[in-house]
Amino acid sequence: SGPGRRVLFSTPIFYANAPPHIGHLYSALLADALHRQRGLRGASPGRLSTGTDEHGLKIQQAAAAAGVSPARLCARVSELFRGALAQAAVSFTDFVRTSEPRHCRAVRHFWAALRERGALYKGCYEGWYCTAEESFLPASQLAERRDAQGRELKVSLESGHQVQWTKEENYMFRLSEFQEPLRKWLRDNPHVISPAPFYQQVLQWLREDLPDLSVSRERSRLQWGIPVPNDSTQTIYVWVDALVNYLSVVGYPETHGEWWPAAHHIVGKDILKFHAIYWPALLMAAGLAPPERIFVHSHWTVHGQKMSKSLGNVIDPDSCFRQYTVDGFRYFLLRQGVPERDCDYYDEKVVKLVNSELADALGGLLNRSTALSINPSNTYPCFSEYCFPKVSDYGGTQALGRASTEDYELVASVASLPLQVASYFEGFQIYKALECIALCVKETNGFFQRHQPWKLDRKDPAEKPWLDTIIHVTLECLRVYGTLLQPVIPSTADKLLSRLSVEPEERSLSDLTFLPRYNGKPCPFEGRQLGPDTGVLFHRLEKSSQSQVENKSS
């Protein structure tokens, strides 16, 4: 993914039948961090698309239950999503609604391409249909449960929602013909789906039968959707409609070639099959290439339980922003979220992590190293090569000048950090990038504590160069951390870099060099007046009652 290439990052479009929760937010923050990080690398402008999925039986039923029209329900919920993402500082460039004319036009064109290329036929389809998941489910994905009256019901194994036996005459997509092309696509692109366990999951699905897919519903059952062109008795299946958003947002069918197929989809594991099997097959059938990357993440639980309206444990992002701040909650989700496995949310966990790593470790280090008591001139002080001489090999280095072996280890750690962080972002392991930064921040605090600059006498000519060097090294470490943290905590990183007097044009990842004076090169910050002291970098959080951060009403 070289810097000269355009890339479209995308979240799933979110279903407009209920307000946003932290699962939606997590998808968006992952995409946002990748998008921001790419921009800071000096790459050509990328795009980040998000939006709302506004058609389907579930919306039709939710609107009827609320006593409003589907269009009114979608307009209200779509605005909630747009507001929540803007509040979370998600840097989206495109917000698509599937009810928009540009999208409906793209879907009709896509359908026509499938039909013209012989990928569709009309057939009778029957099976177990799950309205909540908007899909037919095979017997292997069903379980039997009893309702409150003791009656036996069939439910989805994945979601627990009830399924109904449905028989319809629908348009079918020749999915079975794409089993081998999909396998070849995956074999030729082993990194197309990350993390690796999800790539293996898709390969496993492709070893099983791949039946043709029903891609329309009877209009009499489903009016809220895009009608099949030239057949007023059928409505286009909501998932086909929704997936085309990734094309409509880049100008399909006219100008999509400027961006497609350089699309990087960020999706939850529950919609992996739709994105890694149905979507690539539909694209191939329409004469288009599959997306370049599919990044997959797992779910958030609350105190070990799946979020659900019936349990009353759906977490509202707005409450979290008010309780933990926007950057605090962004940091928590991206630091604690591990894409390969479900992660658990509870208040004490957020407070402990954010206080420890942002308020105390990072904020405390900035506060101590810029205190007027040890840096009365409020400048970026000079580095002394005499006190901290360069060595060619850090391994087993004995103390030289005033620097200790641990100091050389710190310099080595921080010097290698930007490449390490970039590598973890590329591999969709943002949590590991943040773990590395946190470890280096801890190491820098150890450096500062070890040398106790507050005990050194600035007026002593023998002590002043070493005192200035300690502060210089600490500020250089902080400058690296602030630069690397911009995709994750943009507001806090801006505050930190502004305090260090790092100008906006000096904050890119492409020219990030650490401690140039150690390598005998000039440091543009040396001698520069520090920026204004705007107070505590990040205020400590207080523990709250769980009711303050849970949206009981959903």
Side-chain angles (χ1 to χ4, degrees):
S1 51
R5 298 171 60 257
R6 293 178 168 192
V7 172
L8 168 73
F9 293 99
S10 70
T11 75
I13 50 172
F14 304 115
Y15 214 53
N17 67 326
H21 57 64
I22 63 169
H24 302 123
L25 180 65
Y26 182 52
S27 290
L29 290 181
L30 288 166
D32 178 59
L34 294 174
H35 178 236
R36 286 178 179 272
Q37 197 259 359
R38 186 176 183 279
L40 288 163
R41 279 168 31 212
S44 61
R47 286 168 77 167
L48 170 53
S49 73
T50 187
T52 42
D53 179 2
E54 302 187 8
H55 292 137
L57 196 56
K58 204 159 41 166
I59 300 254
Q60 189 172 294
Q61 292 175 348
V68 297
S69 68
R72 180 167 289 186
L73 174 71
C74 290
R76 181 176 64 80
V77 176
S78 183
E79 205 48 46
L80 291 177
F81 274 97
R82 186 190 286 269
L85 297 179
Q87 185 183 11
V90 175
S91 57
F92 59 88
T93 59
D94 300 272
F95 190 97
V96 64
R97 297 180 58 191
T98 58
S99 57
E100 292 172 344
R102 63 165 174 163
H103 174 75
C104 297
R105 178 175 168 271
V107 172
R108 287 192 293 269
H109 195 281
F110 190 80
W111 182 275
L114 293 175
R115 190 183 59 225
E116 286 161 13
R117 296 171 70 92
L120 302 177
Y121 66 93
K122 211 164 187 182
C124 191
Y125 191 86
E126 55 185 320
W128 294 102
Y129 190 78
C130 179
T131 299
E133 296 177 29
E134 297 277 18
S135 65
F136 283 96
L137 300 177
S140 60
Q141 290 179 29
L142 301 178
E144 290 194 351
R145 302 268 162 85
R146 290 189 182 274
D147 66 10
Q149 285 74 44
R151 291 172 301 199
E152 279 199 354
L153 303 172
K154 285 202 182 295
V155 298
S156 162
L157 205 55
E158 168 76 20
S159 67
H161 290 113
Q162 188 177 353
V163 296
Q164 304 285 350
W165 185 260
T166 306
K167 185 176 182 179
E168 293 184 354
E169 186 180 47
N170 294 334
Y171 284 94
M172 306 293 293
F173 170 59
R174 300 183 193 278
L175 181 62
S176 55
E177 294 184 4
F178 290 89
Q179 191 151 7
E180 194 45 49
L182 287 169
R183 284 176 181 161
K184 184 179 187 309
W185 168 61
L186 289 175
R187 281 197 304 268
D188 293 348
N189 299 278
H191 302 296
V192 70
I193 299 170
S194 298
F198 296 114
Y199 174 81
Q200 294 300 330
Q201 171 70 73
V202 177
L203 282 177
Q204 179 56 40
W205 283 333
L206 289 171
R207 291 187 191 105
E208 301 163 4
D209 283 343
L210 199 61
D212 288 351
L213 183 67
S214 171
V215 288
S216 71
R217 303 295 315 275
E218 286 180 357
R219 192 85 183 152
S220 58
R221 291 176 188 264
L222 176 60
Q223 298 85 46
W224 184 243
I226 302 172
V228 167
N230 304 315
D231 187 345
S232 59
T233 68
Q234 298 279 314
T235 301
I236 295 174
Y237 176 43
V238 65
W239 266 104
V240 176
D241 169 356
L243 287 164
V244 175
N245 96 85
Y246 302 125
L247 290 174
S248 61
V249 83
V250 290
Y252 180 82
E254 287 86 17
T255 57
H256 60 284
E258 295 174 22
W259 292 88
W260 198 265
H264 293 189
H265 299 325
I266 289 83
V267 301
K269 65 180 182 180
D270 56 320
I271 53 174
L272 176 58
K273 184 174 279 188
F274 295 98
H275 284 83
I277 292 182
Y278 301 163
W279 180 225
L282 287 162
L283 286 162
M284 291 175 187
L288 295 167
E292 198 169 82
R293 300 289 298 271
I294 301 171
F295 296 115
V296 191
H297 65 80
S298 298
H299 296 154
W300 280 91
T301 56
V302 180
H303 287 285
Q305 289 185 301
K306 187 174 179 177
M307 274 191 289
S308 78
K309 284 188 275 189
S310 58
L311 289 174
N313 67 347
V314 177
I315 304 297
D316 167 30
D318 179 62
S319 299
C320 295
F321 297 147
R322 282 187 274 112
Q323 181 66 27
Y324 311 122
T325 75
V326 169
D327 273 6
F329 200 54
R330 281 177 65 107
Y331 186 80
F332 169 75
L333 290 178
L334 293 171
R335 171 79 167 89
Q336 287 289 300
V338 179
E340 294 94 322
R341 62 176 183 267
D342 289 352
C343 302
D344 198 37
Y345 161 90
Y346 52 91
D347 175 65
E348 297 85 352
K349 192 176 185 180
V350 186
V351 172
K352 185 178 178 183
L353 175 84
V354 172
N355 281 349
S356 168
E357 296 190 359
L358 291 188
D360 298 345
L362 187 68
L365 183 63
L366 177 68
N367 188 48
R368 294 199 295 163
S369 58
T370 56
L372 288 175
S373 55
I374 63 165
N375 187 4
S377 63
N378 195 39
T379 57
Y380 216 100
C382 294
F383 178 87
S384 164
E385 288 100 332
Y386 176 77
C387 294
F388 207 134
K390 180 176 173 59
V391 295
S392 55
D393 179 17
Y394 299 113
T397 298
Q398 297 301 307
L400 295 171
R402 299 287 292 268
S404 69
T405 304
E406 294 92 337
D407 300 339
Y408 285 102
E409 288 169 356
L410 169 68
V411 168
S413 295
V414 182
S416 66
L417 188 61
L419 272 177
Q420 206 172 12
V421 166
S423 171
Y424 282 134
F425 265 79
E426 182 67 23
F428 197 51
Q429 294 179 309
I430 297 171
Y431 72 101
K432 283 192 177 178
L434 295 179
E435 184 180 12
C436 288
I437 295 170
L439 286 171
C440 282
V441 172
K442 186 178 180 182
E443 221 178 319
T444 313
N445 271 297
F447 165 80
F448 198 81
Q449 193 66 30
R450 187 162 56 245
H451 294 301
Q452 301 181 317
W454 56 90
K455 289 189 175 179
L456 299 176
D457 183 3
R458 179 166 290 283
K459 293 173 184 169
D460 182 342
E463 297 283 76
K464 183 180 181 299
W466 178 229
L467 171 57
D468 283 347
T469 298
I470 294 166
I471 299 169
H472 182 99
V473 170
T474 305
L475 297 187
E476 277 290 278
C477 290
L478 281 165
R479 182 174 64 83
V480 169
Y481 307 148
T483 305
L484 293 175
L485 285 168
Q486 289 175 100
V488 175
I489 45 172
S491 176
T492 305
D494 172 61
K495 191 174 178 182
L496 190 160
L497 293 171
S498 296
R499 179 71 176 104
L500 299 182
S501 204
V502 182
E503 298 295 335
E505 64 274 11
E506 297 172 317
R507 299 180 182 187
S508 88
L509 296 172
S510 51
D511 1 297
L512 180 58
T513 53
F514 169 62
L515 207 59
R517 291 281 277 108
Y518 176 77
N519 293 301
K521 296 172 183 172
C523 172
F525 305 99
E526 199 170 64
R528 188 182 291 189
Q529 195 74 22
L530 294 180
D533 182 358
T534 53
V536 174
L537 179 68
F538 196 96
H539 289 275
R540 285 180 61 81
L541 302 175
E542 299 298 324
K543 286 185 182 176
S544 72
S545 64
Q546 198 66 15
S547 61
Q548 286 178 277
V549 292
E550 288 184 11
N551 176 14
K552 296 290 185 185
S553 63
S554 178

